[in-house]
Amino acid sequence: MELYLDTANLEEIKEIASWGVLAGLTTNPSLLAKEKIPVAVFMREAENYVTGPLSLEVLGETADSMIEDARHLKKYGDNVVIKLPLTEEGLKALKVLSAEGFQTNLTLIFSANQALLAAKAGATYVSPFVGRVDDIGAEGKALVEEIKLIFQQYQLKTKIIAASIRSARDVTDAAVAGADIATIPYGIFKKMVAHPLTDVGLEKFKADWAKSGIQGL
Ligand code: G3P
């Protein structure tokens, strides 16, 4: 499973990219709005750290306006993936954009049927929102498993991005369920690194070495 960062914060991108684990990036209008950063400025900086797929979302509500947004966003880089909402207008836009060779990420997916429709219309990626499914008392993990099973059964090439990740456990669950990618917020990346036994072990190594009196390696 590949790991993407879900953010529009440039400092977060810089730090996680320095770990050597980052295969791509996803943003959405809420994340960009939070940073109050124009997309052009964001892209100029982000492209220094992310060479893999970088999802930018359209704002238009009709297929035509989504297509217009997509053509504009694509100018920011060859690695730009166009994020479209899974609506009827989003599907119409997807049909046109996939025929033109755009990479697409169908977002706000909350059911296996939505994922199936996206795959049939040529989506490169689908993004089931596991955390928001959990929020309404259903099981986000089960949704990823179901989509995976359907895509495997019918040899659909669309990749699954587990999105709306809220905990380190969600990342493990996405990997076990067979997601191709998990897009993870910065704070969850930090939690994935941390383990109390790692800290305890490191302290013991340091203390034992200090007691030994040996100088240098
Ligand atoms: O990748 C989608 C994500 O940004 C939404 O996450 O936590 O707002 O449901 P959340």
Side-chain angles (χ1 to χ4, degrees):
M1 184 175 76
E2 290 188 329
L3 307 182
Y4 289 6
L5 179 62
D6 193 29
T7 192
N9 181 294
L10 293 167
E11 287 308 311
E12 293 180 1
I13 296 169
K14 198 168 158 184
E15 184 177 345
I16 303 300
S18 76
W19 295 1
V21 299
L22 205 55
L25 187 79
T26 53
T27 65
N28 63 36
S30 303
L31 292 171
L32 281 157
K34 193 170 137 209
E35 302 305 322
K36 296 196 184 343
I37 188 168
V39 180
V41 177
F42 171 75
M43 287 302 290
R44 204 166 46 236
E45 294 297 320
E47 291 282 18
N48 293 322
Y49 306 103
V50 184
T51 52
L54 195 161
S55 285
L56 290 176
E57 190 158 338
V58 299
L59 294 173
E61 289 173 18
T62 62
D64 284 346
S65 57
M66 288 178 199
I67 292 165
E68 195 181 320
D69 285 353
R71 292 199 174 120
H72 173 75
L73 293 172
K74 189 69 191 168
K75 293 190 186 130
Y76 290 122
D78 289 342
N79 58 339
V80 169
V81 175
I82 304 300
K83 234 175 161 182
L84 299 163
L86 196 291
T87 58
E88 292 181 20
E89 292 301 304
L91 284 172
K92 288 180 205 167
L94 172 60
K95 177 178 186 282
V96 173
L97 293 171
S98 50
E100 288 183 22
F102 279 73
Q103 301 271 300
T104 52
N105 175 358
L106 271 284
T107 189
L108 294 167
I109 299 263
F110 293 95
S111 76
N113 282 339
Q114 290 181 314
L116 179 60
L117 289 166
K120 287 291 182 184
T124 318
Y125 305 95
V126 286
S127 290
F129 273 33
V130 300
R132 293 192 198 181
V133 170
D134 291 342
D135 285 346
I136 57 162
E139 212 189 345
K141 183 175 69 166
L143 173 60
V144 176
E145 284 167 356
E146 212 169 33
I147 297 171
K148 181 73 183 182
L149 184 74
I150 293 167
F151 284 8
Q152 270 180 340
Q153 191 148 290
Y154 297 103
Q155 284 112 47
L156 296 167
K157 301 256 177 291
T158 304
K159 290 188 171 172
I160 303 168
I161 303 180
S164 181
I165 294 283
R166 303 277 179 74
S167 67
R169 183 68 226 178
D170 283 347
V171 179
T172 308
D173 285 345
V176 172
D180 300 285
I181 297 139
T183 190
I184 305 166
Y186 173 79
I188 306 299
F189 265 110
K190 302 286 257 193
K191 287 191 172 145
M192 288 167 69
V193 173
H195 198 289
L197 290 181
T198 305
D199 298 339
V200 168
L202 201 53
E203 282 309 310
K204 180 162 167 41
F205 287 153
K206 273 201 300 202
D208 289 346
W209 188 254
K211 266 188 277 167
S212 79
I214 305 169
Q215 300 292 319
L217 280 177

